[in-house]
Amino acid sequence: QVQLVESGGGLVQAGGSLRLSCAASRRIFTMGWFRQAPGKEREFVAAIRWTGSTTFYADSVKGRFTISRDNAKNTVYLQMNSLKPEDRAVYYCAATDQGWGPRVQSYDYWGQGTQVTVSS
């Protein structure tokens, strides 16, 4: 089992920045971020492998968001810049030892979520 604890959400104006953090209870191969807006399905945001050299982004955030990880702390970060009102959602950290990619089903462990609100 892996416990994931997110932090860093909040309220920001459009064009602003936030950094989310997710601490895992042990080392795990793939860590990622998903988000879910009210009335919508959970969607992929970004993922990163253990080595940190392989990352994957949704087109909607490419160039604005950066995922990174600190393996010494078993922590993954999501730096979000140039935030837009449509980025408003609950952001979930996810992890797996086996999977990779943008599918929700590929991830075995989930955090409880952190709210990100972007005002226009």
Side-chain angles (χ1 to χ4, degrees), residues 39-112:
K40 294 189 176 181
E41 292 187 352
R42 193 168 297 190
E43 65 173 8
F44 172 76
V45 175
I48 187 167
R49 283 183 165 160
W50 168 253
T51 60
S53 61
T54 302
T55 57
F56 183 34
Y57 294 93
D59 288 342
S60 59
V61 306
K62 206 172 290 184
R64 299 188 298 123
F65 292 10
T66 302
I67 190 169
S68 61
R69 63 189 294 170
D70 183 338
N71 291 334
K73 298 180 179 179
N74 295 332
T75 299
V76 66
Y77 304 97
L78 185 68
Q79 178 66 44
M80 305 184 294
N81 297 329
S82 303
L83 281 160
K84 305 175 182 180
E86 51 264 42
D87 294 318
R88 174 182 177 246
V90 177
Y91 282 70
Y92 295 92
C93 179
T96 178
D97 280 316
Q98 305 293 334
W100 173 250
R103 297 175 69 243
V104 170
Q105 296 86 345
S106 296
Y107 294 80
D108 302 305
Y109 308 104
W110 293 85
Q112 71 274 35

